[in-house]
Amino acid sequence: MRVKRLVAIAAAVATAASIATAVPAAAAAAESIAWGPCTDHTLVAAGGECGFLSVPLDYAHPGGEKIQLAVARVKHKVPDSQYQGVMLTNPGGPGGSGLYLATRGSRLPNHAGDAHDWIGFDPRGVGSSKPAISCDPNYMNYNRPNYLPVTPQLEQTWLQRSKSYADACKQKNSLALLQHMKTVDTALDMDSIRAALGVEQASFYGYSYGTYLGEVYGTLFPQRIRRMVLDSTIDPRTVWYQANLNQDPGFERNLDVWFGWVAKYDSVYHLGTTAQAVKHVFDEQLAKLSFQPAGGVIGPDEWLDVFQQASYYQPRWPVLGDAFAKFVNNGDWQNMKTLFEDVSGLGDDNGFAAYLAVECTDAQWPTSWNQWRLDNQRTFTRAPHFTWQNAWFNAPCLYWPAKAGTPVHVDGRGVRNVLVIDETLDAPTPYEGSLEVRRRFPGAVLIAEPGGTSHAITPNGNACVNDKIVAYLTTGALPARKPGNGPDVECAPLPQPTP
């Protein structure tokens, strides 16, 4: 999609005038959060508090219908003289539950996270927020049609599935909610949370899609940002049709990197001594599953869904290598079934439905399936494993019942400081997005990890990266910004794991 640019803010509300009215409404909301005990054991163990915040469904009509945001807080543990303020967070997705990120401060070394009140929240329509979106909980069930549309019948089957899902979303959810699920709505919600906490400024730590939320929030409310960390950054030029196409070659490249790692440890996995040999075994199994699902449940779609994790996270490589070897050498499909159920959202489509509700309406997708087909066929020549998986994941946008808006023109000139972090072979959010955000945010400093393939995993054991995050969050100090359009600091990525 060729993203149309606006010089002024526009998005969830129909006109620039109504957005201008809506922005102050968030700050003026000043509802309170009635804090109480949490039920999630991780939040309980961290001493978290949980509650709900009432916010307008439509910020253009702040006195109208309200929805409830689920919010969690882990308060600072330092003396008030060392307190660094509120840290808002978002895990990505879109559609990811974020309550657990209230505990994220504990992952920073040397108790550096203890100086903030860490705030996690479930975005509107997600998780424990009310209402939560659901359309067909069994959509990601076993025995789906093969992702690869090798016949016209398969293509039509997937198109009909996609339409049926979009129709179910219309039938089972409020159209008003679906119409107000855009990123700008969540940015306004975030400012309502800030106002409810009684602070003039808040910091923000966003991952993946959460970086785009930070970009939009920084555009709408630059004066409200104290500090901001963006890990694995969305390119604002590509939301969302082109962004998804841009992912596929990276997924393919990183899968090949993993094949090479599996081959390096052939003494453990016994799947081949070269990346090409391992790839041959992988594709051979994929072809077999297309004709006969293992155990009647693990077909080509389930196989690809599980192993796509190799393209996301190097820490998952040993688990995936073990599953691959057990399947090939021992016929262990039960372990694959467990892994699929861990990643698929089986029986719970809230994350998927909320993902679509945001991505289908942030910006207009092509309305002609012919364009989708052509673009994905072109991409398939470079990325044969995951192109059609990704295409069908997004295909309900062809039929989505809520109208698409125009994305906010991201402009970070008013934001004083941002720390951007990215591994240069990040597949879901290609590195070019971090370079673009650095260009748009003159106060940003970019830490690049050359050759790294993991996505959105800070803070981790990488001292070079962690030390700079800690210095920034505790003192506001950033490395110097260099001239030009490259990174400002380079840190070696974590070493590849060992089995």
Side-chain angles (χ1 to χ4, degrees), residues 149-296:
V150 292
T151 67
Q153 291 77 15
L154 264 175
E155 180 181 271
Q156 287 304 311
T157 299
W158 267 110
L159 288 172
Q160 185 54 52
R161 281 189 101 240
S162 301
K163 184 178 187 305
S164 296
Y165 190 82
D167 290 346
C169 291
K170 180 180 181 179
Q171 294 162 8
K172 297 183 179 180
N173 300 279
S174 156
L175 187 58
L177 178 59
L178 295 180
Q179 195 62 61
H180 293 95
M181 285 289 295
K182 299 176 180 69
T183 297
V184 73
D185 293 304
T186 299
L188 294 167
D189 288 343
M190 227 165 57
D191 204 58
S192 291
I193 295 171
R194 178 205 55 77
L197 294 170
V199 296
E200 287 297 312
Q201 288 189 318
S203 297
F204 177 71
Y205 204 127
Y207 297 90
S208 192
Y209 162 79
T211 67
Y212 182 63
L213 176 60
E215 294 164 29
V216 172
Y217 186 80
T219 299
L220 297 175
F221 301 106
Q223 76 283 5
R224 297 298 187 191
I225 293 177
R226 187 165 186 265
R227 294 169 191 153
M228 186 157 68
V229 180
L230 305 180
D231 180 353
S232 303
T233 320
I234 295 289
D235 189 333
R237 298 170 297 184
T238 63
V239 293
W240 290 111
Y241 178 73
Q242 189 61 48
N244 280 278
L245 289 169
N246 290 352
Q247 291 176 338
D248 300 331
F251 287 140
E252 193 75 23
R253 176 200 62 224
N254 289 1
L255 186 68
D256 288 339
V257 175
W258 179 66
F259 289 153
W261 178 85
V262 172
K264 178 181 177 181
Y265 293 103
D266 183 61
S267 61
V268 176
Y269 299 121
H270 309 295
L271 293 166
T273 58
T274 66
Q276 192 59 39
V278 174
K279 181 177 185 291
H280 176 77
V281 174
F282 185 90
D283 288 342
E284 185 178 52
Q285 297 300 319
L286 181 61
K288 288 179 180 177
L289 294 172
S290 300
F291 293 99
Q292 182 61 51

Side-chain angles (χ1 to χ4, degrees), residues 60-106:
H61 301 96
E65 184 180 349
K66 298 293 195 294
I67 58 176
Q68 304 291 313
L69 301 179
V71 187
R73 174 173 67 180
V74 174
K75 297 187 77 172
H76 64 283
K77 300 177 178 64
V78 298
D80 286 349
S81 60
Q82 300 171 32
Y83 176 53
Q84 294 293 322
V86 165
M87 177 68 71
L88 300 170
T89 58
N90 183 271
S97 168
L99 290 175
Y100 74 96
L101 283 180
T103 68
R104 185 48 52 98
S106 64

